[in-house]
Amino acid sequence: MKLFQTEDHYYDHGMRDYAPQIRLLYYVIIGILLAFSKVMWRWKVENPGELEPEGETGSIIISNHTSMAEVVATVTHIVASGRRVRPIMKSEFNKNPIVRWFFARVGGIPVDRGTADMKSLRRAQHALQRGEDVLIYPEGTRIRTDDQPVEVHGGFALIASMAKADIVPIAVCGFRDITPQGHHLMRPMKTWIRCGERLRLASAPEGLKRKERIQWFEDEAIRRMYEVRDQLRDEHPGRR
């Protein structure tokens, strides 16, 4: 791939095909963020083996969302383990040309929430079929307080079904405390990331129609994500 391309080229092509200069810049950034986040937030991924796919197809990884810091930790862990990951991002990020330029080159795929954005679904499907992982935050935005209304955005199970990919639910704890409400500076804090059990579409109960199977797939993945989150919170009282 040539060095100077439009954002659509990055959305539609595999990360291994990016220009060498872009890939070098990407890995330099990942290395810096990995070292910084490890020192600042002392995170460790528990049960990391769940992130390893059994075949050539990538996995959809879903997580609860409390801070941008957990995005940094999750992405750098996946890349450091030798995989490529495409975070799904809100299309609102594309309004800023600098942010749009950056996210396109680190693998981000924009999606219009609340719409049948088939172009984005296909891009995610093709990424999975190329062996890249897709990272999705179904809550759609950072959940900063326990009483904040949460609207879970679906669609990820449909992508998994289209690509014949598994879903790996993960959960984070402690990242919300890095920047408490009313503060802007990040604090060094111990944080946790845990992977739940990998979920396969074949695990759905027998007798369900296709639409029902996809809905079960999505509901079960969300249930497992929150189950792992609640386990972490119980193990680390007072941390969010």
Side-chain angles (χ1 to χ4, degrees), residues 182-202:
H183 295 76
H184 300 287
L185 295 178
M186 295 182 296
R187 303 183 297 173
M189 302 282 290
K190 173 70 174 175
T191 57
W192 300 269
I193 304 173
R194 180 177 294 170
C195 301
E197 184 181 0
R198 175 177 288 269
L199 183 62
R200 301 166 180 83
L201 188 57

Side-chain angles (χ1 to χ4, degrees), residues 34-67:
L34 177 63
F36 172 81
S37 64
K38 279 284 191 179
V39 171
M40 282 287 289
W41 307 316
R42 306 193 302 280
W43 55 268
K44 178 182 178 182
V45 176
E46 303 174 23
N47 305 327
E50 295 292 341
L51 293 170
E52 291 294 328
E54 297 177 352
E56 296 182 359
T57 303
S59 307
I60 288 185
I61 301 165
I62 65 168
S63 176
N64 62 310
H65 195 18
T66 62
S67 166

Side-chain angles (χ1 to χ4, degrees), residues 16-234:
R16 68 171 65 241
D17 298 326
Y18 288 6
Q21 298 92 328
I22 296 296
R23 284 185 279 130
L24 176 60
L25 176 63
Y26 175 73
Y27 285 115
V28 168
I29 292 172
I30 288 294
I32 293 171
L33 291 178
L34 177 63
F36 172 81
S37 64
K38 279 284 191 179
V39 171
M40 282 287 289
W41 307 316
R42 306 193 302 280
W43 55 268
K44 178 182 178 182
V45 176
E46 303 174 23
N47 305 327
E50 295 292 341
L51 293 170
E52 291 294 328
E54 297 177 352
E56 296 182 359
T57 303
S59 307
I60 288 185
I61 301 165
I62 65 168
S63 176
N64 62 310
H65 195 18
T66 62
S67 166
M68 291 304 294
E70 69 222 10
V71 182
V72 171
T74 302
V75 169
T76 56
H77 170 81
I78 295 170
V79 176
S81 68
R83 301 202 48 80
R84 295 177 177 86
V85 60
R86 309 292 298 254
I88 298 295
M89 63 183 190
K90 296 182 292 186
S91 60
E92 288 90 329
F93 285 126
N94 275 348
K95 295 178 181 178
N96 184 310
I98 297 176
V99 174
R100 181 174 66 244
W101 184 96
F102 177 78
F103 273 127
R105 285 152 182 81
V106 296
I109 298 176
V111 63
D112 287 319
R113 293 187 304 175
T115 66
D117 190 351
M118 287 305 301
K119 180 182 285 188
S120 296
L121 296 183
R122 289 295 182 190
R123 284 168 168 166
Q125 174 195 357
H126 295 156
L128 289 164
Q129 292 171 333
R130 287 192 297 264
E132 299 168 341
D133 295 329
V134 173
L135 175 62
I136 298 177
Y137 291 92
E139 293 169 332
T141 190
R142 289 171 290 176
I143 307 302
R144 305 306 300 271
T145 65
D146 286 344
D147 57 1
Q148 179 179 337
V150 178
E151 179 184 0
V152 175
H153 298 271
F156 61 86
L158 176 59
I159 299 171
S161 176
M162 291 163 56
K164 296 181 172 55
D166 296 341
I167 297 175
V168 181
I170 71 173
V172 299
C173 179
F175 286 91
R176 184 193 294 174
D177 304 324
I178 291 171
T179 311
Q181 279 194 308
H183 295 76
H184 300 287
L185 295 178
M186 295 182 296
R187 303 183 297 173
M189 302 282 290
K190 173 70 174 175
T191 57
W192 300 269
I193 304 173
R194 180 177 294 170
C195 301
E197 184 181 0
R198 175 177 288 269
L199 183 62
R200 301 166 180 83
L201 188 57
S203 302
E206 295 183 3
L208 297 180
K209 297 180 180 179
R210 181 176 182 273
K211 187 175 181 180
E212 295 172 333
R213 286 169 63 84
I214 292 174
Q215 188 61 55
W216 178 89
F217 203 24
E218 196 153 271
D219 292 343
E220 179 63 13
I222 291 293
R223 186 194 69 79
R224 293 187 186 188
M225 179 185 78
Y226 283 131
E227 180 179 58
V228 175
R229 181 204 63 180
D230 292 343
Q231 289 172 357
L232 286 172
R233 289 184 173 185
D234 289 343

